[in-house]
Structures are given as structure tokens and as C-alpha cells.
């Protein structure tokens, strides 16, 4: 591991396992735990760090000086990348989906303040960039530059996710995680025993492509996982009053913050499926809190 990366990681906090207490869980005989990756770091939190860790190490080992990646105006991935890269002495370029907004989002302002060069592209051009999967694939890439696909969707990301799984030392029956690109889900699938069931919950609409993307990231096929596509609430970053009501109740009961793009939808889905008797009584479920709380700023304007 690169010395600068070790120095950065030494500033991190522990990701705790927190048991969720709720009469609903008692009623249905389900034990629910939350893997608190949101506690790792105030900025590089959750699965963003897990995915970036070994990618950044690879970039540093190659002698790269610039990392180029892509995301939206509230991208947790780009936000974490900009901060971590500044700490490591790397330059960054963020390719942003859509036209430049008249007023920059708080996320974009942070990224700019941390030295990221922002380039805005049309949504069609943005979609075209998704075909470039490897660090050297981007057309026109220059010496010293390192291409990182959307959301850190690269094989090396799975190593960091595997470390997260290894920290869960108690026995468990199922892991549940929200899905954007499916990279974190793939890392979990590759790391857990085959006796454990894994359920990913798509945060976006029409997410059938995620199944192929996850299978592509896996080195060998596994049959102990699925992606539930019923809890996107209308699409990526789409919300409802019911979802916000659930998040508010959960936070008041457990003193744990959620955001409505990923973790809020994840916990809502788990509770709803428990009430539908989808999970057998006596099961121990571990849900992954993937951080991303900075994205809440997009809902407070």
C-alpha cells in the first residue's frame, strides 16, 4: 500500500455494527444490524472509500498524477474522489452529466474547492463514456492520466468492499445493500460464504442492466444473490412523502441519519419486505450503510 494512502486511512474511524431496535422487528422475529460505513470519515464515507482505496493505490503505483472520472451534480463518488485525491497530491477531472447549472450545487462547489476540474457534457455523450471500463480506455487519455469509470466500477473496487465484509465477524443470514452501479454488490457477493443470501436494491428505474454489470465484475458465477427493482420510488434521486416519513421515523427511533437516494430506500424496502413475510423469522440481516449523507444537501434547497 502506498505510504500516502496509509497515512490517509489512519485518519479514519471504525465502521461499527449497530443493532436496530424496533417493535416491528420483534413482531416478525427478524434481527437487523446496520454496518455503519457512514462513520468511516466525514467526507470519504461508506462504500465510496471502500471502492476507491485500491484504485487509488493502483493509480499511485503507476505514477499517475491525474484521475479522470464521471458523475452527476451531487455525485458521492466524485465528491469523495476529489477530497481523497487532494489529500494524496493527485489532480482530478470530473466529467459532469448535463449542462453547467447557473448556480453550482454544494457538491460541485466542494469538488471545485478541492481542485477538481469540472467538465460538463451532454447526457448522450455521458452515456457513451460508460463503455470505457479500464483505466487506460478513455480516448485521448494522456500519459500520467488514469480513467476511473462511473461510481468506481472497476475490478479493484471489489477488494475494498471485501475488507468491509471481513469486518462482519458475527454469523448472519443475509446482507442487504443499495445499488447504483452494482459494484459494491459485486464485491459483497465475491466476499461472503455461499450460504449467505445477498439482496441488492436498485436505486434507479429500469435497472435490469445491473444484473449483467454485476456478473461481468464477478470472477466466477454465484447463485446466492438477487437485485430487487421494486423500491426506486420513481427513479434515481426520486422520492415521495412516504419515503421521507419513513426516514424521519427511523432517525428518531435509532438516531442514525439516512439519505433518500440509497440508504433510505434500502431500509424502507427491508421493513416493507419484513412486513410481507419475505424473510423467515429468526433471520439475522446485515444492511450496509453506504454513507453518502452529503447528498442530503440536494433536498434542502
Amino acid at each position: 500500500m502506498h505510504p500516502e494512502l496509509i497515512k490517509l486511512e489512519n485518519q479514519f474511524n471504525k465502521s461499527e455494527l449497530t443493532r436496530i431496535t424496533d417493535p416491528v422487528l420483534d413482531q416478525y422475529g427478524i434481527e437487523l444490524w446496520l454496518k455503519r460505513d457512514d462513520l468511516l470519515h466525514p467526507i470519504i464515507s461508506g462504500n465510496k472509500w471502500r471502492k476507491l482505496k485500491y484504485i487509488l493505490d493502483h493509480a499511485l503505483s503507476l505514477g499517475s498524477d491525474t484521475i479522470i472520472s464521471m458523475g452527476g451534480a451531487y455525485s458521492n463518488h466524485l465528491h469523495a474522489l476529489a477530497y481523497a485525491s487532494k489529500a494524496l497530491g493527485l489532480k482530478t477531472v470530473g466529467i459532469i452529466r448535463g449542462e453547467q447549472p447557473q448556480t453550482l450545487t454544494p457538491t460541485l462547489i466542494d469538488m471545485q474547492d478541492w481542485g477538481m476540474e469540472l467538465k460538463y457534457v451532454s447526457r448522450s455523450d455521458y452515456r457513451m463514456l460508460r463503455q470505457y471500463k479500464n483505466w487506460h480506455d478513455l480516448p485521448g487519455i494522456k500519459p500520467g492520466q488514469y480513467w476511473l469509470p462511473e461510481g468506481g466500477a472497476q475490478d479493484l473496487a471489489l477488494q475494498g468492499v471485501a475488507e468491509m465484509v471481513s469486518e462482519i465477524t458475527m454469523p448472519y443470514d443475509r446482507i442487504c445493500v443499495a445499488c447504483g452501479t452494482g459494484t459494491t454488490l459485486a464485491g459483497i457477493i465475491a466476499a461472503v460464504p455461499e450460504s449467505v443470501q445477498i439482496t441488492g436494491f436498485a436505486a434507479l428505474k429500469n435497472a435490469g442492466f445491473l444484473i449483467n454489470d454485476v456478473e461481468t465484475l464477478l470472477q466466477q458465477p454465484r447463485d446466492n444473490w438477487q437485485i430487487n427493482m421494486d423500491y426506486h420510488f420513481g427513479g434515481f434521486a426520486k422520492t415521495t412523502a412516504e419515503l421521507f416519513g419513513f426516514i424521519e421515523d427511523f432517525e428518531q427511533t435509532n438516531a442514525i441519519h439516512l439519505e433518500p437516494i440509497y440508504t433510505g430506500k434500502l431500509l424502507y424496502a427491508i421493513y416493507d419486505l419484513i412486513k410481507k413475510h419475505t424473510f423467515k423469522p429468526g433471520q439475522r440481516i446485515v444492511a450496509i450503510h453506504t454513507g453518502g449523507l452529503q447528498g442530503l444537501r440536494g433536498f434542502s434547497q
Side-chain angles (χ1 to χ4, degrees), residues 4-280:
E4 290 300 316
L5 206 57
I6 294 172
K7 188 189 301 183
L8 176 60
E9 190 172 38
N10 284 341
Q11 301 172 22
F12 279 49
N13 302 309
K14 185 179 179 182
S15 170
E16 301 173 353
L17 268 172
T18 300
R19 183 169 181 176
I20 304 303
T21 56
D22 193 297
V24 170
L25 301 174
D26 296 335
Q27 179 184 347
Y28 290 89
I30 298 295
E31 195 174 310
L32 178 61
W33 294 74
L34 200 58
K35 182 76 168 88
R36 299 291 307 281
D37 266 20
D38 57 308
L39 299 177
L40 283 172
H41 189 278
I43 296 170
I44 325 169
S45 71
N47 63 336
K48 272 56 71 178
W49 170 248
R50 302 291 191 179
K51 291 188 287 185
L52 283 173
K53 179 178 175 179
Y54 288 99
I55 291 169
L56 291 170
D57 187 54
H58 184 228
L60 290 167
S61 72
L62 292 171
S64 304
D65 57 29
T66 304
I67 298 182
I68 307 170
S69 196
M70 59 192 285
Y74 281 95
S75 170
N76 293 318
H77 162 68
L78 288 182
H79 192 257
L81 175 65
Y83 183 93
S85 296
K86 181 184 179 184
L88 296 169
L90 294 167
K91 292 180 284 187
T92 49
V93 177
I95 301 175
I96 312 300
R97 181 180 60 246
E99 296 181 2
Q100 179 174 343
Q102 289 188 344
T103 303
L104 294 185
T105 68
T107 305
L108 293 173
I109 291 171
D110 283 347
M111 286 149 48
Q112 205 168 60
D113 288 346
W114 296 328
M116 179 174 276
E117 179 186 352
L118 306 181
K119 294 185 175 181
Y120 299 86
V121 299
S122 68
R123 293 179 182 273
S124 58
D125 286 347
Y126 186 91
R127 286 192 294 271
M128 288 289 292
L129 290 172
R130 288 177 172 149
Q131 67 185 292
Y132 306 115
K133 303 294 187 181
N134 299 312
W135 70 269
H136 47 68
D137 279 357
L138 187 69
I141 196 166
K142 299 175 182 177
Q145 293 183 333
Y146 187 104
W147 167 244
L148 179 54
E150 183 180 35
Q154 196 191 74
D155 292 349
L156 286 168
L158 274 61
Q159 292 184 32
V161 176
E163 289 186 352
M164 181 269 290
V165 173
S166 71
E167 295 170 5
I168 308 173
T169 55
M170 66 181 184
Y172 52 94
D173 303 293
R174 184 181 298 269
I175 289 185
C176 294
V177 66
C179 294
T181 63
T183 310
T184 303
L185 175 62
I188 292 171
I189 295 165
V192 304
E194 291 198 60
S195 59
V196 171
Q197 295 295 309
I198 307 108
T199 305
F201 290 88
L204 55 158
K205 196 175 181 180
N206 301 321
F209 65 91
L210 285 176
I211 295 172
N212 181 67
D213 288 355
V214 170
E215 289 173 341
T216 301
L217 285 166
L218 294 172
Q219 292 187 353
Q220 55 186 12
R222 303 282 289 272
D223 59 6
N224 59 334
W225 63 279
Q226 60 181 322
I227 300 178
N228 185 304
M229 303 184 192
D230 298 333
Y231 294 94
H232 53 71
F233 286 84
F236 185 71
K238 301 292 186 182
T239 62
T240 65
E242 184 180 10
L243 176 61
F244 275 111
F246 169 83
I247 290 172
E248 184 178 353
D249 289 344
F250 184 89
E251 291 180 348
Q252 288 180 355
T253 302
N254 297 283
I256 297 173
H257 291 297
L258 306 176
E259 45 72 42
I261 300 176
Y262 295 106
T263 55
K265 292 179 180 180
L266 169 68
L267 270 298
Y268 180 99
I270 292 171
Y271 270 66
D272 194 49
L273 291 175
I274 287 171
K275 294 172 184 176
K276 292 176 178 177
H277 302 279
T278 303
F279 306 125
K280 295 179 181 178

